[in-house]
Amino acid sequence: TYEKLNLFGNSIMDMTRTALDAVGLPYQIVGEPSLFEVVFTPHPVRNYRDVLNADTTATNRYHAALHQLGIFKSAGKTYPCLALTDEDLAITEAAITTASKYLIN
């Protein structure tokens, strides 16, 4: 079960890196594949204060865009689901790519 969950999490983390690297906005992905978050900052994230000092405007825009594109994501963390299908992952990748572009427009 954990292997599958980590596989999905790593896949979503990779999708996120690819999309955000393409738009050039500084970010850090913090956490483990089964529970992680994107923090919009060029600085290493070592503690909660670093998260509080990140770009919350970018975070809010990113989360809102994902929601508009049909991706349910909590405001705090990304929790991959064991029930994801290949189709779900393709939809997720498209949404992450589109949401990332909203950050620079």
Side-chain angles (χ1 to χ4, degrees):
T1 299
Y2 283 107
E3 279 183 34
K4 185 176 180 181
L5 188 61
N6 286 328
L7 179 70
F8 289 152
N10 278 320
S11 179
I12 296 168
M13 290 168 89
D14 289 343
M15 293 172 192
T16 303
R17 284 186 196 96
T18 299
L20 291 175
D21 286 349
V23 299
L25 191 67
Y27 70 94
Q28 306 292 318
I29 296 179
V30 297
E32 297 296 322
S34 60
L35 174 67
F36 64 92
E37 188 52 85
V38 178
V39 181
F40 292 97
T41 180
H43 308 292
V45 176
R46 293 176 287 234
N47 55 50
Y48 190 65
R49 286 183 301 272
D50 294 336
V51 173
L52 292 177
N53 289 321
D55 184 347
T56 56
T57 300
T59 300
N60 292 337
R61 287 182 73 191
Y62 183 69
H63 290 169
L66 288 174
H67 282 236
Q68 287 175 338
L69 296 164
I71 301 298
F72 175 75
K73 186 200 168 302
S74 73
K77 300 275 187 274
T78 301
Y79 299 91
C81 174
L82 286 171
L84 292 171
T85 64
D86 289 340
E87 181 181 0
D88 294 328
L89 290 171
I91 291 167
T92 301
E93 184 171 25
I96 289 170
T97 300
T98 301
S100 297
K101 291 175 184 173
Y102 288 176
L103 296 171
I104 58 170
N105 294 328

